[in-house]
Amino acid sequence: MQKFEGTGVALVTPFKKDFSVDVEALQRIVEFVTKGNVEYLVVLGTTAESATLSQDEKELVIKTIVEANAEKLPLVLGVGGNNTLKVVEELKTRDLSKFDAILSVSPYYNKPTQEGIYQHFKAVAEASPIPVILYNVPGRTASNVLPATIIRLANDFKNVIAVKEAAGDIVQAMKLIQNKPEGFLVISGDDMVTLPMVLSGGSGVISVIGQGFPKEFSEMVRLGLQRKVDEAYELHYLLADSIDMIFEQGNPAGIKEVFKSLGLSENTVRLPLVNVDDNLANRLNNFTKKIS
C-alpha cells in the first residue's frame, strides 16, 4: 500500500461564476498538484462539495480528473453516505476500474452505535471490488469511530487497508497507530496535526491545504516520513497560518480563495456555503503571494 503513503489531496470542484462545473479549471488544478509532487488524488470527497453535485456533474468530475490525470497518480474515489444499501448498490454498479481505492465516510446524521458503524463498513467492505479507506470525521458526522472499531474492521477485512483519521485528537490517532495490524495505514485527515501524526508512525495525509501549496506540504510529509524532524517542522510552521485561514470560514471556501489568488479557478462555492469575507480573502491572497 505504498501508493497511499505521503500526501493525497482532496480535490475541489471548481465552479464558474454561473455555478456550473469549470472543467478547464479542474484540469489546471490536477496539473498543478501533480507538478507539486503529491502522491495521489482523492476525487469527490467532502472538499469537492459532492453533497451539492448532481449525478451528471459527479460523472463529469470523475471523467475530467481521470482524463487529466492520465494514469500518472493513484486515484481514490469518495463513495460513502448514511444509507448503507445505497452505498453498497453504488459499489456494485459503478465502474471502479480507474480507481485504486475508495474513501468511505462513516455514516453521518444517523449517529449509529459502534456496532452499527462496524456493520455498515462490513457491508461496504464486502461489496467493494477495490481497497477501502475508512474516513472518521466526527465534526461532520456527529459520531466518532473509536480505535477499537477501526482495528476490528482492519483485522476482519483484508481490503480495509487504511483510515483517514480526522477526529483532531492526536491521542486517539496514537492509539490507532499503536494497535493497528501490520500494513494498515493511519492517514491524517487534519492538516494541522499531520506532521505530529506522521512522526508518531502515521502514513501521511489526505489534505486540503496540500492542493494549494502542494510542493511545500508534500515535502513536509516526506521529510516527516524520513524522520528529518527539524526540516519538516520548518515547512509546517511556514504553512501553519494558511491552514488556520483556509478553515476559518469553512471548507472549501478558503482553499478556493487560494486557487483564485493562484489564477487557477474562480472562488465560487455553492449554497449553503458562501465565499469568505473580504478580510480573510485579503489575508489569504497576501499569504499566497508570499509563498508563491
Side-chain angles (χ1 to χ4, degrees), residues 1-16:
M1 292 297 102
Q2 288 184 339
K3 66 179 70 175
F4 302 120
E5 292 181 347
T7 301
V9 288
L11 293 168
V12 303
T13 302
F15 300 123
K16 299 177 182 179

Side-chain angles (χ1 to χ4, degrees), residues 62-245:
I62 290 171
K63 179 176 183 291
T64 300
I65 295 173
V66 167
E67 291 179 355
N69 181 55
E71 300 184 350
K72 295 185 188 76
L73 298 177
L75 297 178
V76 177
L77 180 66
V79 183
N82 63 342
N83 180 340
T84 307
L85 293 177
K86 184 177 179 181
V87 176
V88 167
E89 180 66 19
E90 180 173 358
L91 289 169
K92 288 181 175 180
T93 57
R94 176 175 289 286
D95 179 9
L96 296 169
S97 61
K98 299 295 185 182
F99 292 91
D100 297 86
I102 65 162
L103 176 67
S104 197
V105 69
S106 180
Y108 42 83
Y109 191 80
N110 310 58
K111 298 181 72 173
T113 64
Q114 294 300 302
E115 184 61 27
I117 292 169
Y118 174 87
Q119 292 297 331
H120 170 85
F121 280 127
K122 177 178 185 287
V124 168
E126 291 175 341
S128 180
I130 59 176
V132 176
I133 301 173
L134 310 175
Y135 183 13
N136 181 36
V137 56
R140 289 187 179 272
T141 65
S143 63
N144 185 22
V145 188
L146 296 178
T149 302
I150 292 169
I151 291 164
R152 181 184 173 195
L153 287 160
N155 284 321
D156 289 354
F157 303 98
K158 290 184 179 179
N159 64 334
V160 175
I161 62 163
V163 60
K164 178 185 177 184
E165 175 57 42
D169 184 340
I170 191 66
V171 175
Q172 177 166 300
M174 290 172 72
K175 287 181 180 178
L176 273 170
I177 293 164
Q178 178 185 5
N179 296 303
K180 69 181 181 64
E182 184 177 357
F184 185 79
L185 306 181
V186 179
I187 299 168
S188 174
D190 184 331
D191 287 337
M192 190 61 85
V193 300
T194 292
L195 185 54
M197 278 184 63
V198 167
L199 294 174
S200 298
S203 300
V205 63
I206 293 176
S207 174
V208 178
I209 198 66
Q211 65 192 304
F213 306 105
K215 180 181 177 182
E216 294 83 3
F217 198 78
S218 65
E219 180 63 12
M220 179 201 78
V221 174
R222 282 188 290 273
L223 288 168
L225 290 168
Q226 296 164 16
R227 296 298 185 265
K228 295 181 178 178
V229 179
D230 291 342
E231 297 97 319
Y233 266 112
E234 186 176 342
L235 288 170
H236 168 85
Y237 287 119
L238 175 70
L239 296 173
D241 288 345
S242 71
I243 295 170
D244 283 337
M245 284 190 285

